[in-house]
Amino acid sequence: MRFETLAVHAGRQLEINENEPITPPIILSTVFERAQDATYKHNLSYTRDTNPNRHWVESALAALEGGAKAAAFASGSAATHTVLQALEPGDHVIATTGYYGTTKLLKQIMKPWGLEATVMDTSDLAQLEKAITKKTRLIWIETPSNPLIKITDIAAVAKLAHAAGAKLAVDNTTATPVFQRCFDLGADLVMHSTTKYLSGHSDVLGGAIISKEDDAFFGRIHTLQSTAGAVPSPFDCWLLHRGLKTFALRVRQQAANALALTTYLSQHPKVERALYPGLPSHPGHDIAVRQMKGGFGGLFSFQVKGGRGEALQLAAGLKLIRRATSLGGVDTTIEHRESVEPPGYGTPANLLRVSMGIEHIDDLRTDFEQALKAI
Ligand SMILES: *Cc1c(COP(=O)(O)O)cnc(C)c1O
């Protein structure tokens, strides 16, 4: 089946859904009756272990990424934490300087637990190769990265990781499986903050890990999921599953809007530069063209001429576009990242990050035009 068909139909499990409703019911029960011989029908006993809505959405996520198995979590961060906990104390991880929460997890939570981490610009392959040690078990990349929109060469890093006996995990939140097929490029694990594009309406918190193989490492992830219990509710699984049905349409519109708007912004006299892998001026453009197909995602950043003051003034002057954190929703939002990251994290003070929505491009451009005129 083609991607769009899978997006609508993946995760249909008629064995539990005997009356075949087109839209799955939300099954809130935390417990399921045991058969007379003490077995459980469909492996359902208690909702921390699994639940029909979680089971359906996990099989849909595995199908959309092209992996063997998926595990859904209560947030993207819980999904990341679970992969890190599936390693052993003493292991070493290399991670992209990307989403700040991942760095914080590594430094503040996993370091005291015994995990060593090198957080770096993974777009620099020579430096990445030098950072690999005998204890490196996992390379965690985020591409395009959030919020600096750097591009890491997935296939090249997969080769480096596998030569060192390490796994490659890709945080595919910003690219989505519509544009970036990580398993085809050599990744072993894919992570999503399903809060973002996959749900798409800024009303669900969730995360997922998808594994290329149903192997022992995924077994540890699965055990952590059901034993530690950072699982999503049936309602959140249902909302995510509903979001999956339209997400290919949404992200294509978001990517088209992002390309049009960054082309406009990069030529504006009050803009220093726009960071978007779809622009030929982007240093990662050639790699992005090779590893992303059909678009470059809906997330971009740009730097206003001037400093923090001009950036804040521009964001404040927008009327249609709203100031909010997070990304991936149908509403366009803008955020000044430097003011939410700790001092010294490296995001320039004049940078604004934009999460493109699905509004008409003319209305978005008009809003930027009037706000840029005012600064
Ligand atoms: C939001 C985000 C996360 C964390 O996900 P939550 O659902 O907020 O916990 C991780 N990686 C990236 C790239 C993100 O944008």
Side-chain angles (χ1 to χ4, degrees), residues 221-281:
I221 289 170
H222 189 247
T223 301
L224 280 160
Q225 178 199 31
S226 61
T227 309
V231 292
S233 72
F235 184 48
D236 284 345
C237 293
W238 185 89
L239 280 173
L240 167 59
H241 204 162
R242 183 168 77 160
L244 292 181
K245 292 171 191 273
T246 55
F247 108 91
L249 296 176
R250 287 185 276 104
V251 294
R252 287 200 181 107
Q253 180 68 31
Q254 285 162 320
N257 279 351
L259 185 59
L261 201 56
T262 52
T263 302
Y264 161 75
L265 287 172
S266 62
Q267 290 158 9
H268 196 284
K270 289 186 181 170
V271 172
E272 189 178 301
R273 60 174 181 154
L275 304 169
Y276 185 63
L279 297 175
S281 61

Short mmCIF file of all heavy atoms in Angstrom, two decimals, residues 221-281:
data_model
loop_
_atom_site.label_atom_id
_atom_site.label_comp_id
_atom_site.label_asym_id
_atom_site.label_seq_id
_atom_site.Cartn_x
_atom_site.Cartn_y
_atom_site.Cartn_z
N ILE A 221 13.24 -2.26 25.66
CA ILE A 221 12.39 -1.05 25.58
C ILE A 221 10.95 -1.40 25.96
O ILE A 221 10.30 -0.70 26.73
CB ILE A 221 12.47 -0.45 24.15
CG1 ILE A 221 13.85 0.16 23.93
CG2 ILE A 221 11.36 0.58 23.91
CD1 ILE A 221 14.15 0.57 22.50
N HIS A 222 10.49 -2.53 25.46
CA HIS A 222 9.12 -2.98 25.72
C HIS A 222 8.92 -3.30 27.20
O HIS A 222 7.91 -2.94 27.81
CB HIS A 222 8.83 -4.20 24.83
CG HIS A 222 7.40 -4.60 24.86
ND1 HIS A 222 6.98 -5.78 25.42
CD2 HIS A 222 6.29 -3.94 24.45
CE1 HIS A 222 5.66 -5.84 25.33
NE2 HIS A 222 5.22 -4.74 24.74
N THR A 223 9.94 -3.95 27.80
CA THR A 223 9.85 -4.26 29.24
C THR A 223 9.82 -2.98 30.06
O THR A 223 9.03 -2.85 31.02
CB THR A 223 11.05 -5.13 29.66
OG1 THR A 223 11.02 -6.31 28.87
CG2 THR A 223 11.02 -5.49 31.14
N LEU A 224 10.66 -2.01 29.69
CA LEU A 224 10.66 -0.72 30.41
C LEU A 224 9.32 -0.01 30.24
O LEU A 224 8.80 0.58 31.19
CB LEU A 224 11.78 0.18 29.88
CG LEU A 224 13.17 -0.13 30.43
CD1 LEU A 224 14.26 0.45 29.52
CD2 LEU A 224 13.31 0.45 31.84
N GLN A 225 8.77 -0.09 29.05
CA GLN A 225 7.49 0.58 28.78
C GLN A 225 6.41 0.03 29.72
O GLN A 225 5.71 0.80 30.38
CB GLN A 225 7.07 0.33 27.32
CG GLN A 225 5.73 0.94 26.94
CD GLN A 225 5.14 0.31 25.67
OE1 GLN A 225 5.36 -0.87 25.40
NE2 GLN A 225 4.41 1.10 24.92
N SER A 226 6.28 -1.29 29.79
CA SER A 226 5.19 -1.86 30.59
C SER A 226 5.51 -1.91 32.07
O SER A 226 4.60 -1.88 32.90
CB SER A 226 4.80 -3.24 30.05
OG SER A 226 5.90 -4.11 30.15
N THR A 227 6.79 -1.95 32.43
CA THR A 227 7.15 -2.08 33.85
C THR A 227 7.26 -0.70 34.51
O THR A 227 6.79 -0.52 35.64
CB THR A 227 8.48 -2.84 33.99
OG1 THR A 227 8.38 -4.04 33.23
CG2 THR A 227 8.79 -3.16 35.44
N ALA A 228 7.90 0.26 33.82
CA ALA A 228 8.01 1.60 34.40
C ALA A 228 6.71 2.39 34.16
O ALA A 228 6.35 3.25 34.95
CB ALA A 228 9.20 2.34 33.81
N GLY A 229 6.01 2.08 33.06
CA GLY A 229 4.64 2.57 32.91
C GLY A 229 4.44 3.98 32.41
O GLY A 229 3.38 4.56 32.66
N ALA A 230 5.42 4.54 31.68
CA ALA A 230 5.22 5.90 31.13
C ALA A 230 4.40 5.81 29.84
O ALA A 230 4.84 6.18 28.76
CB ALA A 230 6.57 6.55 30.86
N VAL A 231 3.18 5.30 29.97
CA VAL A 231 2.37 4.96 28.80
C VAL A 231 1.27 6.02 28.55
O VAL A 231 0.85 6.70 29.47
CB VAL A 231 1.72 3.56 28.96
CG1 VAL A 231 2.78 2.49 28.90
CG2 VAL A 231 0.91 3.46 30.23
N PRO A 232 0.83 6.14 27.29
CA PRO A 232 -0.23 7.10 26.98
C PRO A 232 -1.61 6.54 27.33
O PRO A 232 -1.80 5.32 27.35
CB PRO A 232 -0.11 7.27 25.46
CG PRO A 232 0.46 5.98 24.98
CD PRO A 232 1.31 5.43 26.08
N SER A 233 -2.56 7.42 27.57
CA SER A 233 -3.92 6.97 27.89
C SER A 233 -4.61 6.49 26.61
O SER A 233 -4.21 6.87 25.50
CB SER A 233 -4.72 8.15 28.46
OG SER A 233 -5.00 9.07 27.42
N PRO A 234 -5.68 5.68 26.74
CA PRO A 234 -6.42 5.25 25.54
C PRO A 234 -6.91 6.44 24.72
O PRO A 234 -6.87 6.41 23.50
CB PRO A 234 -7.59 4.44 26.11
CG PRO A 234 -7.09 3.94 27.43
CD PRO A 234 -6.18 5.02 27.96
N PHE A 235 -7.35 7.51 25.39
CA PHE A 235 -7.85 8.68 24.65
C PHE A 235 -6.73 9.34 23.85
O PHE A 235 -6.92 9.72 22.69
CB PHE A 235 -8.50 9.69 25.61
CG PHE A 235 -9.13 10.87 24.91
CD1 PHE A 235 -9.97 10.69 23.81
CD2 PHE A 235 -8.90 12.16 25.34
CE1 PHE A 235 -10.55 11.78 23.16
CE2 PHE A 235 -9.48 13.25 24.70
CZ PHE A 235 -10.30 13.06 23.60
N ASP A 236 -5.53 9.47 24.46
CA ASP A 236 -4.41 10.06 23.73
C ASP A 236 -4.00 9.19 22.55
O ASP A 236 -3.64 9.70 21.49
CB ASP A 236 -3.22 10.31 24.66
CG ASP A 236 -3.44 11.53 25.55
OD1 ASP A 236 -4.35 12.32 25.27
OD2 ASP A 236 -2.70 11.69 26.55
N CYS A 237 -4.05 7.86 22.74
CA CYS A 237 -3.75 6.95 21.62
C CYS A 237 -4.76 7.13 20.50
O CYS A 237 -4.41 7.15 19.32
CB CYS A 237 -3.76 5.49 22.08
SG CYS A 237 -2.44 5.09 23.21
N TRP A 238 -6.02 7.29 20.87
CA TRP A 238 -7.09 7.45 19.88
C TRP A 238 -6.89 8.75 19.11
O TRP A 238 -7.00 8.79 17.88
CB TRP A 238 -8.43 7.43 20.61
CG TRP A 238 -9.63 7.48 19.70
CD1 TRP A 238 -10.29 6.41 19.15
CD2 TRP A 238 -10.32 8.65 19.25
NE1 TRP A 238 -11.33 6.85 18.38
CE2 TRP A 238 -11.38 8.22 18.42
CE3 TRP A 238 -10.15 10.01 19.47
CZ2 TRP A 238 -12.26 9.11 17.81
CZ3 TRP A 238 -11.01 10.90 18.86
CH2 TRP A 238 -12.07 10.44 18.04
N LEU A 239 -6.57 9.86 19.84
CA LEU A 239 -6.34 11.14 19.16
C LEU A 239 -5.15 11.06 18.22
O LEU A 239 -5.18 11.58 17.10
CB LEU A 239 -6.09 12.24 20.20
CG LEU A 239 -7.32 12.84 20.88
CD1 LEU A 239 -6.88 13.78 22.00
CD2 LEU A 239 -8.19 13.60 19.88
N LEU A 240 -4.07 10.42 18.67
CA LEU A 240 -2.89 10.27 17.81
C LEU A 240 -3.25 9.46 16.57
O LEU A 240 -2.87 9.83 15.45
CB LEU A 240 -1.76 9.58 18.61
CG LEU A 240 -0.57 9.07 17.79
CD1 LEU A 240 0.10 10.20 17.01
CD2 LEU A 240 0.45 8.39 18.71
N HIS A 241 -4.00 8.38 16.77
CA HIS A 241 -4.38 7.52 15.65
C HIS A 241 -5.22 8.32 14.64
O HIS A 241 -5.05 8.22 13.43
CB HIS A 241 -5.15 6.31 16.17
CG HIS A 241 -5.11 5.13 15.26
ND1 HIS A 241 -5.41 3.86 15.66
CD2 HIS A 241 -4.80 5.02 13.95
CE1 HIS A 241 -5.29 3.03 14.64
NE2 HIS A 241 -4.92 3.71 13.59
N ARG A 242 -6.10 9.16 15.15
CA ARG A 242 -6.89 10.02 14.26
C ARG A 242 -5.99 10.99 13.50
O ARG A 242 -6.15 11.22 12.31
CB ARG A 242 -7.94 10.80 15.05
CG ARG A 242 -8.80 11.63 14.12
CD ARG A 242 -10.01 12.17 14.78
NE ARG A 242 -9.70 13.31 15.62
CZ ARG A 242 -10.59 14.21 16.01
NH1 ARG A 242 -11.84 14.06 15.64
NH2 ARG A 242 -10.25 15.20 16.78
N GLY A 243 -4.99 11.55 14.22
CA GLY A 243 -4.05 12.48 13.58
C GLY A 243 -3.28 11.83 12.45
O GLY A 243 -3.02 12.45 11.41
N LEU A 244 -2.91 10.56 12.63
CA LEU A 244 -2.11 9.86 11.61
C LEU A 244 -2.83 9.82 10.25
O LEU A 244 -2.19 9.84 9.21
CB LEU A 244 -1.81 8.43 12.05
CG LEU A 244 -0.87 8.24 13.23
CD1 LEU A 244 -0.67 6.75 13.51
CD2 LEU A 244 0.47 8.91 12.98
N LYS A 245 -4.16 9.76 10.30
CA LYS A 245 -4.91 9.62 9.05
C LYS A 245 -4.74 10.81 8.12
O LYS A 245 -4.83 10.68 6.91
CB LYS A 245 -6.39 9.38 9.35
CG LYS A 245 -6.62 8.02 9.99
CD LYS A 245 -8.05 7.87 10.47
CE LYS A 245 -8.23 6.65 11.34
NZ LYS A 245 -8.54 5.44 10.56
N THR A 246 -4.50 12.00 8.67
CA THR A 246 -4.40 13.20 7.82
C THR A 246 -2.99 13.78 7.78
O THR A 246 -2.76 14.81 7.16
CB THR A 246 -5.34 14.31 8.34
OG1 THR A 246 -5.03 14.55 9.72
CG2 THR A 246 -6.79 13.92 8.19
N PHE A 247 -2.03 13.12 8.44
CA PHE A 247 -0.76 13.85 8.63
C PHE A 247 0.04 14.00 7.35
O PHE A 247 0.73 15.01 7.17
CB PHE A 247 0.02 13.27 9.83
CG PHE A 247 1.23 12.48 9.48
CD1 PHE A 247 2.46 13.10 9.38
CD2 PHE A 247 1.16 11.14 9.28
CE1 PHE A 247 3.59 12.38 9.07
CE2 PHE A 247 2.28 10.41 8.97
CZ PHE A 247 3.50 11.03 8.85
N ALA A 248 -0.09 13.06 6.40
CA ALA A 248 0.65 13.22 5.13
C ALA A 248 0.17 14.48 4.40
O ALA A 248 0.98 15.24 3.86
CB ALA A 248 0.47 11.98 4.26
N LEU A 249 -1.13 14.74 4.44
CA LEU A 249 -1.67 15.95 3.80
C LEU A 249 -1.18 17.21 4.51
O LEU A 249 -0.79 18.19 3.88
CB LEU A 249 -3.20 15.93 3.85
CG LEU A 249 -3.91 14.83 3.09
CD1 LEU A 249 -5.41 14.91 3.33
CD2 LEU A 249 -3.61 14.95 1.61
N ARG A 250 -1.22 17.14 5.85
CA ARG A 250 -0.85 18.33 6.62
C ARG A 250 0.62 18.69 6.41
O ARG A 250 0.96 19.84 6.15
CB ARG A 250 -1.12 18.11 8.11
CG ARG A 250 -2.60 18.14 8.47
CD ARG A 250 -2.81 18.04 9.98
NE ARG A 250 -2.80 16.67 10.49
CZ ARG A 250 -1.83 16.09 11.14
NH1 ARG A 250 -0.71 16.75 11.42
NH2 ARG A 250 -1.94 14.85 11.56
N VAL A 251 1.53 17.69 6.54
CA VAL A 251 2.95 18.04 6.49
C VAL A 251 3.37 18.49 5.09
O VAL A 251 4.29 19.29 4.95
CB VAL A 251 3.91 16.94 7.01
CG1 VAL A 251 3.70 16.72 8.50
CG2 VAL A 251 3.80 15.67 6.24
N ARG A 252 2.70 18.02 4.07
CA ARG A 252 3.05 18.50 2.71
C ARG A 252 2.70 19.98 2.56
O ARG A 252 3.45 20.75 1.99
CB ARG A 252 2.37 17.65 1.64
CG ARG A 252 3.01 16.29 1.55
CD ARG A 252 2.73 15.57 0.24
NE ARG A 252 3.37 14.27 0.30
CZ ARG A 252 2.72 13.11 0.44
NH1 ARG A 252 1.41 13.08 0.49
NH2 ARG A 252 3.40 11.99 0.53
N GLN A 253 1.54 20.36 3.12
CA GLN A 253 1.15 21.78 3.08
C GLN A 253 2.11 22.61 3.94
O GLN A 253 2.53 23.70 3.55
CB GLN A 253 -0.29 21.92 3.59
CG GLN A 253 -0.82 23.34 3.60
CD GLN A 253 -1.02 23.89 2.19
OE1 GLN A 253 -1.32 23.14 1.26
NE2 GLN A 253 -0.81 25.18 2.03
N GLN A 254 2.48 22.07 5.11
CA GLN A 254 3.38 22.79 6.01
C GLN A 254 4.74 22.99 5.35
O GLN A 254 5.36 24.05 5.46
CB GLN A 254 3.49 22.04 7.34
CG GLN A 254 2.22 22.23 8.19
CD GLN A 254 2.07 21.19 9.30
OE1 GLN A 254 2.35 20.00 9.10
NE2 GLN A 254 1.61 21.61 10.46
N ALA A 255 5.22 21.96 4.63
CA ALA A 255 6.53 22.05 3.97
C ALA A 255 6.48 23.04 2.81
O ALA A 255 7.41 23.82 2.60
CB ALA A 255 6.97 20.68 3.49
N ALA A 256 5.38 23.03 2.04
CA ALA A 256 5.26 23.98 0.92
C ALA A 256 5.22 25.41 1.46
O ALA A 256 5.87 26.31 0.92
CB ALA A 256 3.99 23.67 0.12
N ASN A 257 4.48 25.62 2.55
CA ASN A 257 4.43 26.95 3.18
C ASN A 257 5.81 27.37 3.68
O ASN A 257 6.21 28.52 3.53
CB ASN A 257 3.45 26.94 4.36
CG ASN A 257 2.00 27.09 3.91
OD1 ASN A 257 1.73 27.37 2.75
ND2 ASN A 257 1.08 26.90 4.84
N ALA A 258 6.54 26.42 4.29
CA ALA A 258 7.86 26.75 4.85
C ALA A 258 8.83 27.15 3.74
O ALA A 258 9.59 28.11 3.88
CB ALA A 258 8.42 25.56 5.63
N LEU A 259 8.77 26.44 2.61
CA LEU A 259 9.68 26.78 1.50
C LEU A 259 9.34 28.17 0.95
O LEU A 259 10.23 29.00 0.73
CB LEU A 259 9.60 25.72 0.40
CG LEU A 259 10.58 25.90 -0.76
CD1 LEU A 259 12.03 25.89 -0.27
CD2 LEU A 259 10.38 24.83 -1.82
N ALA A 260 8.06 28.45 0.78
CA ALA A 260 7.65 29.76 0.24
C ALA A 260 8.02 30.88 1.21
O ALA A 260 8.55 31.92 0.80
CB ALA A 260 6.15 29.76 -0.03
N LEU A 261 7.78 30.68 2.49
CA LEU A 261 8.03 31.75 3.45
C LEU A 261 9.52 31.98 3.68
O LEU A 261 9.96 33.14 3.81
CB LEU A 261 7.32 31.42 4.77
CG LEU A 261 7.06 32.61 5.68
CD1 LEU A 261 6.26 33.70 4.98
CD2 LEU A 261 6.31 32.17 6.93
N THR A 262 10.33 30.92 3.70
CA THR A 262 11.78 31.12 3.90
C THR A 262 12.39 31.75 2.65
O THR A 262 13.34 32.52 2.75
CB THR A 262 12.52 29.81 4.25
OG1 THR A 262 12.18 28.81 3.29
CG2 THR A 262 12.19 29.34 5.65
N THR A 263 11.84 31.46 1.47
CA THR A 263 12.33 32.10 0.25
C THR A 263 12.07 33.61 0.35
O THR A 263 12.95 34.42 0.07
CB THR A 263 11.63 31.49 -0.99
OG1 THR A 263 11.89 30.09 -0.98
CG2 THR A 263 12.14 32.09 -2.28
N TYR A 264 10.87 33.97 0.81
CA TYR A 264 10.52 35.38 1.01
C TYR A 264 11.43 36.04 2.07
O TYR A 264 12.02 37.08 1.85
CB TYR A 264 9.04 35.48 1.40
CG TYR A 264 8.65 36.78 2.06
CD1 TYR A 264 8.52 37.96 1.31
CD2 TYR A 264 8.43 36.83 3.44
CE1 TYR A 264 8.18 39.16 1.92
CE2 TYR A 264 8.09 38.03 4.05
CZ TYR A 264 7.96 39.18 3.30
OH TYR A 264 7.65 40.36 3.91
N LEU A 265 11.54 35.37 3.24
CA LEU A 265 12.31 35.97 4.35
C LEU A 265 13.78 36.12 3.99
O LEU A 265 14.41 37.11 4.36
CB LEU A 265 12.15 35.12 5.61
CG LEU A 265 10.79 35.19 6.31
CD1 LEU A 265 10.70 34.15 7.42
CD2 LEU A 265 10.52 36.59 6.87
N SER A 266 14.34 35.13 3.29
CA SER A 266 15.79 35.17 3.01
C SER A 266 16.14 36.34 2.08
O SER A 266 17.30 36.73 2.00
CB SER A 266 16.26 33.84 2.42
OG SER A 266 15.61 33.61 1.19
N GLN A 267 15.14 36.90 1.39
CA GLN A 267 15.40 38.04 0.51
C GLN A 267 15.01 39.38 1.15
O GLN A 267 15.15 40.43 0.53
CB GLN A 267 14.62 37.86 -0.81
CG GLN A 267 15.22 36.72 -1.65
CD GLN A 267 14.23 36.15 -2.66
OE1 GLN A 267 13.15 36.69 -2.87
NE2 GLN A 267 14.60 35.04 -3.27
N HIS A 268 14.48 39.35 2.36
CA HIS A 268 14.00 40.58 3.00
C HIS A 268 15.18 41.36 3.62
O HIS A 268 16.01 40.77 4.29
CB HIS A 268 12.97 40.21 4.09
CG HIS A 268 12.16 41.39 4.52
ND1 HIS A 268 12.67 42.37 5.35
CD2 HIS A 268 10.89 41.77 4.22
CE1 HIS A 268 11.73 43.29 5.55
NE2 HIS A 268 10.65 42.94 4.87
N PRO A 269 15.23 42.68 3.38
CA PRO A 269 16.38 43.46 3.89
C PRO A 269 16.52 43.47 5.42
O PRO A 269 17.60 43.75 5.91
CB PRO A 269 16.11 44.88 3.35
CG PRO A 269 14.68 44.89 2.90
CD PRO A 269 14.32 43.48 2.55
N LYS A 270 15.46 43.19 6.16
CA LYS A 270 15.58 43.19 7.63
C LYS A 270 15.91 41.81 8.21
O LYS A 270 15.93 41.62 9.42
CB LYS A 270 14.29 43.74 8.26
CG LYS A 270 14.13 45.23 8.03
CD LYS A 270 12.95 45.80 8.77
CE LYS A 270 12.83 47.30 8.47
NZ LYS A 270 11.56 47.84 8.97
N VAL A 271 16.12 40.83 7.31
CA VAL A 271 16.44 39.47 7.77
C VAL A 271 17.89 39.14 7.45
O VAL A 271 18.34 39.36 6.32
CB VAL A 271 15.47 38.44 7.10
CG1 VAL A 271 15.89 37.01 7.41
CG2 VAL A 271 14.04 38.69 7.57
N GLU A 272 18.62 38.68 8.47
CA GLU A 272 20.04 38.32 8.28
C GLU A 272 20.13 37.04 7.45
O GLU A 272 20.82 36.97 6.46
CB GLU A 272 20.67 38.14 9.66
CG GLU A 272 22.16 37.98 9.69
CD GLU A 272 22.63 37.84 11.14
OE1 GLU A 272 22.37 38.76 11.95
OE2 GLU A 272 23.21 36.79 11.46
N ARG A 273 19.42 36.00 7.89
CA ARG A 273 19.36 34.76 7.09
C ARG A 273 18.24 33.85 7.57
O ARG A 273 17.80 33.94 8.73
CB ARG A 273 20.68 34.00 7.12
CG ARG A 273 21.10 33.57 8.50
CD ARG A 273 22.34 32.70 8.39
NE ARG A 273 22.74 32.27 9.74
CZ ARG A 273 23.42 31.18 9.99
NH1 ARG A 273 23.80 30.39 9.02
NH2 ARG A 273 23.73 30.88 11.23
N ALA A 274 17.79 33.01 6.66
CA ALA A 274 16.77 32.01 7.00
C ALA A 274 17.43 30.65 6.99
O ALA A 274 18.27 30.36 6.13
CB ALA A 274 15.63 32.07 5.99
N LEU A 275 17.07 29.82 7.97
CA LEU A 275 17.65 28.48 8.09
C LEU A 275 16.58 27.44 7.74
O LEU A 275 15.67 27.19 8.53
CB LEU A 275 18.15 28.23 9.52
CG LEU A 275 19.15 29.24 10.07
CD1 LEU A 275 19.36 29.05 11.56
CD2 LEU A 275 20.47 29.11 9.33
N TYR A 276 16.69 26.87 6.55
CA TYR A 276 15.73 25.86 6.10
C TYR A 276 16.44 24.98 5.07
O TYR A 276 17.03 25.50 4.11
CB TYR A 276 14.49 26.53 5.49
CG TYR A 276 13.40 25.56 5.11
CD1 TYR A 276 12.77 24.78 6.08
CD2 TYR A 276 13.03 25.39 3.77
CE1 TYR A 276 11.77 23.88 5.72
CE2 TYR A 276 12.03 24.48 3.41
CZ TYR A 276 11.40 23.73 4.40
OH TYR A 276 10.43 22.83 4.06
N PRO A 277 16.42 23.66 5.25
CA PRO A 277 17.21 22.79 4.36
C PRO A 277 16.75 22.82 2.91
O PRO A 277 17.49 22.41 2.02
CB PRO A 277 17.05 21.39 4.96
CG PRO A 277 15.92 21.48 5.93
CD PRO A 277 15.78 22.91 6.34
N GLY A 278 15.55 23.33 2.64
CA GLY A 278 15.05 23.43 1.28
C GLY A 278 15.68 24.59 0.50
O GLY A 278 15.53 24.66 -0.72
N LEU A 279 16.35 25.51 1.20
CA LEU A 279 16.99 26.64 0.52
C LEU A 279 18.36 26.21 0.01
O LEU A 279 19.16 25.67 0.78
CB LEU A 279 17.15 27.82 1.48
CG LEU A 279 15.88 28.45 2.04
CD1 LEU A 279 16.24 29.53 3.06
CD2 LEU A 279 15.02 29.03 0.92
N PRO A 280 18.68 26.47 -1.27
CA PRO A 280 20.01 26.09 -1.80
C PRO A 280 21.16 26.71 -1.01
O PRO A 280 22.27 26.17 -1.00
CB PRO A 280 19.97 26.62 -3.23
CG PRO A 280 18.53 26.71 -3.58
CD PRO A 280 17.81 27.04 -2.31
N SER A 281 20.91 27.83 -0.29
CA SER A 281 21.95 28.48 0.51
C SER A 281 22.26 27.72 1.81
O SER A 281 23.24 27.99 2.48
CB SER A 281 21.50 29.90 0.86
OG SER A 281 20.30 29.84 1.63
#
